[in-house]
Amino acid sequence: MKDKYRIILQECVNLISLYYDNVFGEVYTKQREKINYIYGQLQSEREREDFFALLAESTFDDREFYMIIMTALYSATNDSICLANVVKMLDKGELDLYKSFIVAQQIYHIMFMDKSIKINYSELRTMYEGLLLRFENEIDLKADYIPLSERDKNKVILVTKQFLGELHAPSRIVREVSAELQKNFGIKVLVIIALEEVNSDECKQVWLEPFIFNYYEELNGGFTFEYNGETIEGYQLTINKANENNIKSILNVIRTVKPLFVLSVGDTIALADMMRKFTHVVTESLTSDIPISAAQTLINFNKQLNDFEVLKYIESKGQTFINNNIMFFADGPQNSYNRQLFNIPEDAFAISIVGNRLDMEITEKFIDVLTNILYCNKRIYYVFIGRFDEFNDMITEPMLKDRCVYLGYQKDLSGIYGMMDLYLNPPRQGGGFSALIAVENGVPVVTLEDCDVAVNLGKEFTCKSMSEFSDIILKYILDVSFYNSMKEIGYKVAQNSKNLKSNIEIILKEISNE
């Protein structure tokens, strides 16, 4: 076992060195394949348990090295046991607090991108709450809970971890909710953007190939933004060691303000959860998953949710769970567009593929599926919209390359949908917002089950596997009656989802019952 261990360890170190030296392509791929082959020789569960025990023991004095080796191994093998071991290591509290937050965020992101990875909700909560407790001790937060009767009913704090452009669904939700609270409820809003670590060098110390949040550096500190006729105040900071005094100051200011409640848009935002010590915190998930949060109230929009063990766990924590509707809103088309200007054939059946993370969501398997679909009908033409920097490197098959176009980021997405015939959702989480905009503009959707798009639109638009995509797309092309009926169903779904005011009223009712 020790010989195999040393070989795997050395090959992981070699992979890490290639990454740090920016050596990718075939060399990097072959190194990952080499690790996967050697690791595959640990055939029994006992052998793998012994391997991981030996790795933990030999890296006891250097937990950063343990983490980077474990993530290199995961990168090469896709074995979720690696992630489970990382979760267990974080539970022990042996890694630096802020680097632990980095590691935890990478785990959440991987699980968001790949639904096949299963780690129990209770284990993720235990990991997160351990980090939250360490954070509270580090900040030395001391605060008594402020009764509802003493809180300012005209002030709310909204916390998020990212604030980008209006086509970024979470950022759009922050804008809409803030403006709605101020304009129609008379409640003053302060938006706090609690960035996860955005220093890629810090992230690379504990995670191979880390996901780094995009952010606008110019928003650091205090800022204001205009939206729907409202001027909204905000403050952006990074959660790290260097900002501890700033974090303390922010918490003290918010405690002094005595807000009616704190709305955490998205989950696993430790800064928001710390505020539960002195006011009511509501965490609203932006995916179909239940939020990982210590807030008093958790909100999820998955109407198909039936995980009773998780719901029982939440109840045991003294938390309230609300199954609310997704917050949806969209501008109508700003312009009418001509296909010719975008190199889309006039007679094409244009299938849009939309997203801000297409580099990660468009896989080789999905590309093979797209290519095979082309054989069904010569009119099929793909239109990629959003962020797809690797388009030219990934779309290389001649027939596919000839029958697709990449439009990049389009602010007037509703107007662009006027040129589309169908919306095809890759296997992913996310995409629910752009899919709702599609159906509102008369573009039917094809998606797999068990994802945000399916939850938002309903089972009428789902397929059990990608092998069904060809048949359903061909039906949309050939059966006009079917196409029109699905257009009508989708439009009704979008209209029924426009419920921002009622969503906020549900939250306010929950607070009033405190």
Side-chain angles (χ1 to χ4, degrees):
M1 169 55 69
K2 287 189 176 182
D3 287 340
K4 288 182 181 178
Y5 165 76
R6 281 192 290 268
I7 293 171
I8 295 173
L9 182 62
Q10 183 58 57
E11 296 302 339
C12 285
V13 169
N14 292 343
L15 182 68
I16 294 165
S17 296
L18 291 174
Y19 179 75
Y20 286 162
D21 292 337
N22 294 313
V23 179
F24 299 108
E26 185 177 357
V27 174
Y28 195 77
T29 300
K30 285 186 177 298
Q31 184 60 29
R32 292 172 66 178
E33 291 172 350
K34 185 177 182 180
I35 294 170
N36 190 39
Y37 174 76
I38 300 170
Y39 179 75
Q41 293 178 351
L42 302 176
Q43 295 181 354
S44 70
E45 184 176 340
R46 177 61 183 272
E47 276 189 303
R48 296 193 180 190
E49 287 177 356
D50 290 344
F51 168 79
F52 286 116
L54 189 57
L55 177 60
E57 180 183 343
S58 62
T59 58
F60 181 79
D61 295 329
D62 192 347
R63 286 317 193 197
E64 288 187 21
F65 183 64
Y66 174 87
M67 289 295 178
I68 195 71
I69 290 293
M70 194 65 77
T71 61
L73 191 60
Y74 174 74
S75 174
T77 66
N78 282 326
D79 190 343
S80 60
I81 294 175
C82 300
L83 299 182
N85 279 300
V86 168
V87 169
K88 291 176 183 177
M89 188 57 66
L90 289 184
D91 283 345
K92 296 178 180 179
E94 295 171 349
L95 183 67
D96 170 81
L97 171 62
Y98 296 103
K99 289 180 178 177
S100 294
F101 275 130
I102 292 172
V103 171
Q105 185 57 53
Q106 299 304 316
I107 293 171
Y108 304 143
H109 177 70
I110 287 173
M111 294 186 67
F112 171 74
M113 296 298 295
D114 187 351
K115 292 290 283 186
S116 69
I117 295 173
K118 304 294 183 184
I119 300 177
N120 288 338
Y121 179 82
S122 59
E123 293 179 20
L124 292 171
R125 278 288 298 268
T126 298
M127 177 190 75
Y128 172 70
E129 288 173 12
L131 292 177
L132 180 61
L133 179 60
R134 290 176 63 191
F135 191 30
E136 290 170 347
N137 291 336
E138 183 76 13
I139 299 300
D140 193 26
L141 177 63
K142 294 182 175 65
D144 295 326
Y145 192 78
I146 304 168
L148 176 62
S149 60
E150 297 178 18
R151 301 205 297 270
D152 190 334
K153 294 178 173 54
N154 296 313
K155 289 187 174 68
V156 162
I157 307 298
L158 194 154
V159 186
T160 187
K161 62 174 65 173
Q162 197 176 26
F163 192 67
L164 301 175
E166 292 180 22
L167 275 187
H168 180 246
S171 302
R172 178 69 183 271
I173 288 172
V174 169
R175 289 176 169 88
E176 292 281 350
V177 173
S178 299
E180 180 75 11
L181 282 166
Q182 289 197 173
K183 179 178 287 188
N184 295 322
F185 290 86
I187 297 175
K188 182 72 173 176
V189 176
L190 172 64
V191 174
I192 304 292
I193 307 169
L195 299 173
E196 301 290 343
E197 182 55 71
V198 290
N199 185 321
S200 61
D201 291 335
E202 288 283 324
C203 296
K204 289 175 183 177
Q205 290 177 15
V206 290
W207 201 273
L208 194 72
E209 306 165 21
F211 168 78
I212 309 292
F213 274 104
N214 295 322
Y215 76 108
Y216 294 151
E217 187 174 0
E218 61 269 24
L219 297 183
N220 285 345
F223 67 94
T224 60
F225 64 96
E226 303 286 333
Y227 195 75
N228 285 352
E230 293 293 314
T231 300
I232 301 156
E233 295 181 359
Y235 192 91
Q236 177 170 284
L237 76 163
T238 302
I239 305 302
N240 59 21
K241 182 71 174 179
N243 263 335
E244 281 191 356
N245 288 334
N246 202 6
I247 294 168
K248 292 177 184 179
S249 297
I250 286 290
L251 288 168
N252 285 330
V253 167
I254 293 173
R255 184 178 57 181
T256 302
V257 167
K258 299 181 180 179
L260 176 62
F261 67 95
V262 172
L263 177 61
S264 180
V265 180
D267 54 352
T268 67
I269 305 179
L271 184 67
D273 281 347
M274 288 174 76
M275 299 177 198
R276 80 195 186 288
K277 296 285 188 179
F278 54 82
T279 191
H280 195 121
V281 177
V282 178
T283 295
E284 176 132 14
S285 175
L286 297 181
T287 73
S288 54
D289 295 325
I290 296 178
I292 298 170
S293 168
Q296 289 95 328
T297 301
L298 306 180
I299 298 179
N300 174 271
F301 63 81
N302 188 349
K303 297 298 184 183
Q304 303 166 24
L305 192 65
N306 57 5
D307 194 332
F308 299 111
E309 286 299 317
V310 172
L311 296 177
K312 186 176 180 181
Y313 177 87
I314 290 171
E315 183 180 354
S316 73
K317 289 285 186 177
Q319 296 171 293
T320 300
F321 178 77
I322 298 175
N323 201 299
N324 204 354
N325 295 311
I326 186 173
M327 294 184 180
F328 172 63
F329 22 75
D331 301 320
Q334 304 301 304
N335 290 291
S336 178
Y337 297 94
N338 188 315
R339 283 186 171 188
Q340 187 175 1
L341 294 176
F342 293 90
N343 295 318
I344 303 171
E346 289 294 337
D347 63 344
F349 187 83
I351 301 177
S352 59
I353 300 169
V354 185
N356 290 320
R357 295 180 296 266
L358 294 179
D359 289 322
M360 293 181 278
E361 294 166 345
I362 305 298
T363 62
E364 290 185 9
K365 183 177 180 180
F366 185 63
I367 288 173
D368 288 342
V369 170
L370 294 180
T371 303
N372 290 332
I373 290 172
L374 293 175
Y375 290 102
C376 295
N377 190 286
K378 64 182 181 181
R379 291 178 55 210
I380 294 173
Y381 194 88
Y382 299 115
V383 182
F384 294 92
I385 304 170
R387 181 79 180 270
F388 194 4
D389 295 339
E390 301 297 321
F391 173 78
N392 289 324
D393 293 328
M394 296 184 70
I395 307 299
T396 57
E397 200 282 330
M399 183 168 64
L400 179 59
K401 194 172 183 178
D402 287 342
R403 293 170 64 179
C404 73
V405 66
Y406 171 46
L407 303 190
Y409 179 91
Q410 296 293 323
K411 187 172 183 179
D412 184 15
L413 186 57
S414 293
I416 294 295
Y417 277 143
M419 299 186 291
M420 301 299 116
D421 296 297
L422 200 66
Y423 176 111
L424 180 60
N425 191 44
R428 63 178 176 183
Q429 291 303 303
F433 198 77
S434 62
L436 278 168
I437 297 175
V439 295
E440 185 185 42
N441 287 279
V443 179
V445 169
V446 174
T447 184
L448 294 174
E449 300 173 333
D450 191 26
C451 66
D452 293 348
V453 172
V455 169
N456 289 354
L457 300 187
K459 63 182 180 180
E460 293 88 351
F461 296 92
T462 64
C463 296
K464 293 186 181 300
S465 70
M466 287 193 288
S467 63
E468 297 180 8
F469 283 178
S470 294
D471 289 343
I472 191 66
I473 289 172
L474 192 59
K475 186 173 183 179
Y476 272 113
I477 295 173
L478 301 178
D479 190 337
V480 176
S481 176
F482 171 72
Y483 186 94
N484 288 335
S485 68
M486 295 306 290
K487 272 181 66 172
E488 184 65 26
I489 292 171
Y491 182 76
K492 288 180 180 178
V493 169
Q495 296 310 303
N496 291 336
S497 298
K498 289 185 173 180
N499 47 36
L500 180 57
K501 182 179 179 182
S502 64
N503 276 14
I504 292 175
E505 288 172 343
I506 288 171
I507 294 172
L508 292 173
K509 182 179 180 180
E510 173 65 21
I511 302 299
S512 69
N513 291 333
E514 185 180 309

